[in-house]
Amino acid sequence: MLAPLLTLHPLSSKAAESVWTSLQLHGFAAQAVLGTSDNRWFARYDGASFDFTEVGLNASLRPQPWLLLAGQVLARRAGEMYDGTPAIDFALADVSLLSTPRQRAGLRLGRIKNPLGLYNETRDVPFTHPGIFLPQVVYFDKVRNLVLSTDGAMLYGETDTALGTLSLNLQGGQAVIDTNVEWAYLGADFPGSLEPDGNSWLAGLWFNSRLERLRLGVSGVSTALRFDPSRHAGFTLGPGTTDIRYLILSAQYSAENWTLTSEYAREPLQWKGFGPYFPDLRITTEGYYVQGTWRPHPAIELLLNYQEGFADRTDRNGRAYAVASKGLSTASSRFSRILSVGIRWDINEHWMLRAEYQHHQGAFVLSPRENPDPGQLVEHWDLFAVQAVFRF
């Protein structure tokens, strides 16, 4: 992919020597200890767990003024969902097509982080989170890789106006799918494979005020998943498809010592063709959160967050689903109401400590891979977590 680009602007020997001076290497390591009163969250068992670990290494290189190469490898261990095997979070070439004091445009090729919401593009770096965990009713960790990046191309541009900066991005490519996606959308790991059904399409429109205090945006994605059943399985689903539309409305205001953030997400879903044991279904999930952070000291930040999410916006208490399941699932598996408080301490530029407490009503945000029996989910439960993060 890069060879034709570099051929257009070949490097001189002197330029080739100076290319490596632009090389930047950064990395981080994060370890958390989690405790839940009930249910499983980033853990292979109930109770206290050290199963949440992240180690990342990223690099960037600018071989030409108009070309940036960047990528990151992450090893993530998170309960039953991720086993610590290193994987590529992103690996891209960023080609500048236009650069003036008032306007900028470019093209990205490769595995590109999806510009969804306020936090998705930086969700892979713990230092950029508002808390240990992103608001789960919008940024689902149970399908993290599907949400995080896409293999394809993105056009982006921004322009300065009298009120602030207006930016637009358009992106297309293949979704990144793993076993967690199949568990989340099909409820189990059935014999067969879940693959992209055509291309995913993403778009986002953002506004930043002059002093960057106010940020407003709308972003969304349209994608589809296709299940190819195993021919040799005794029992599996039919060759069905899952259509996903995901929309996020975002607003954030930042003052000198505090920040207010709110986002609303809606996700129309449609399952069809999976056979009699998985009837065709069309629902719309919904979620929102309101969040405030306050910095009483440059090294200390306090967090307060409230969020609600619903598997079906027409059945917010989950009772209709529980009745239809004939007791196999609880009503609380279909919604989540979460109150979170947290504290962050930036010890120095390399080290950070965090502590967070969450009270949950409902289990919608939980991964079915970690909690495979929805009939055993506990409605009211608590989560406490402490995390240490290092970066260089």
Side-chain angles (χ1 to χ4, degrees):
M1 178 181 68
L2 297 177
L5 295 174
L6 294 174
T7 302
L8 293 174
H9 300 274
L11 295 172
S12 66
S13 59
K14 183 177 180 180
E17 293 176 0
S18 65
V19 162
W20 296 106
T21 62
S22 68
L23 177 65
Q24 294 189 31
L25 290 173
H26 299 284
F28 60 88
Q31 177 63 55
V33 56
L34 314 175
T36 61
S37 61
D38 297 280
N39 304 323
R40 293 183 182 179
W41 175 255
F42 286 16
R44 290 171 291 178
Y45 48 83
D46 297 341
S49 168
F50 289 85
D51 282 349
F52 185 29
T53 307
E54 293 181 304
V55 179
L57 178 66
N58 57 71
S60 64
L61 180 69
R62 191 174 289 279
Q64 295 280 3
W66 50 270
L67 176 63
L68 175 69
L69 308 178
Q72 176 170 285
V73 175
L74 180 74
R76 191 172 200 253
R77 187 166 60 101
E80 295 287 350
M81 292 186 289
Y82 301 96
D83 62 4
T85 301
I88 298 174
D89 264 354
F90 68 93
L92 59 88
D94 191 330
V95 182
S96 176
L97 303 177
L98 172 67
S99 181
T100 70
R102 295 181 60 86
Q103 296 177 325
R104 187 170 70 96
L107 171 68
R108 290 176 183 164
L109 303 168
R111 176 161 291 182
I112 306 161
K113 288 194 287 186
N114 298 327
L116 293 170
L118 292 165
Y119 297 114
N120 194 62
E121 283 187 288
T122 59
R123 72 183 297 165
D124 53 314
V125 182
F127 268 85
T128 66
H129 293 186
I132 296 177
F133 311 103
L134 291 178
Q136 289 299 295
V137 299
V138 174
Y139 302 95
F140 301 107
D141 269 308
K142 59 186 177 181
V143 289
R144 174 189 180 275
N145 290 347
L146 175 67
V147 178
L148 177 66
S149 55
T150 298
D151 294 335
M154 179 174 76
L155 281 170
Y156 65 87
E158 66 178 39
T159 183
D160 286 339
T161 70
L163 298 177
T165 302
L166 193 64
S167 59
L168 173 69
N169 52 68
L170 302 171
Q171 180 177 326
Q174 293 285 292
V176 179
I177 299 174
D178 58 18
T179 305
N180 293 309
V181 178
E182 185 173 347
W183 272 97
Y185 286 105
L186 300 184
D189 183 11
F190 291 99
S193 61
L194 191 65
E195 305 290 342
D197 188 21
N199 287 326
S200 298
W201 301 101
L202 299 90
L205 180 64
W206 293 89
F207 169 78
N208 285 309
S209 64
R210 278 289 182 185
L211 298 178
E212 297 189 352
R213 291 197 169 187
L214 178 63
R215 190 178 188 197
L216 303 173
V218 54
S219 52
V221 58
S222 174
T223 190
L225 313 176
R226 181 186 69 254
F227 181 71
D228 294 324
S230 172
R231 297 180 180 179
H232 306 290
F235 170 78
T236 188
L237 299 179
T241 59
T242 306
D243 295 329
I244 304 170
R245 308 287 183 269
Y246 195 50
L247 176 71
I248 304 177
L249 303 178
S250 309
Q252 184 175 72
Y253 183 82
S254 299
E256 183 177 357
N257 296 319
W258 55 271
T259 300
L260 289 177
T261 306
S262 184
E263 292 188 285
Y264 169 82
R266 178 177 287 193
E267 184 180 22
L269 297 166
Q270 183 177 12
W271 292 267
K272 53 187 177 183
F274 289 100
Y277 297 102
F278 198 122
D280 292 359
L281 178 65
R282 186 195 298 264
I283 61 173
T284 297
T285 70
E286 189 176 55
Y288 75 90
Y289 72 89
V290 179
Q291 174 181 281
T293 59
W294 176 48
R295 293 166 290 279
H297 183 276
I300 302 294
E301 183 175 87
L302 305 179
L303 166 73
L304 179 63
N305 177 290
Y306 179 74
Q307 52 187 304
E308 291 188 350
F310 310 97
D312 184 351
R313 65 186 303 267
T314 65
D315 182 28
R316 291 173 181 252
N317 56 23
R319 292 172 187 167
Y321 182 83
V323 170
S325 72
K326 298 180 180 180
L328 296 177
S329 180
T330 63
S332 61
S333 68
R334 306 293 286 175
F335 64 85
S336 281
R337 297 180 178 91
I338 309 168
L339 178 65
S340 306
V341 293
I343 184 171
R344 167 177 174 165
W345 177 25
D346 291 314
I347 301 172
N348 54 44
E349 63 176 329
H350 298 293
W351 285 96
M352 176 187 69
L353 285 177
R354 269 199 174 115
E356 189 168 334
Y357 165 77
Q358 297 183 354
H359 175 70
H360 289 248
Q361 181 189 6
F364 169 55
V365 301
L366 294 178
S367 167
R369 189 176 186 181
E370 292 190 312
N371 301 271
D373 185 354
Q376 297 298 315
L377 293 171
V378 176
E379 179 174 348
H380 292 274
W381 56 286
D382 300 294
L383 166 68
F384 182 76
V386 177
Q387 184 184 51
V389 186
F390 171 77
R391 68 178 174 184
F392 67 88

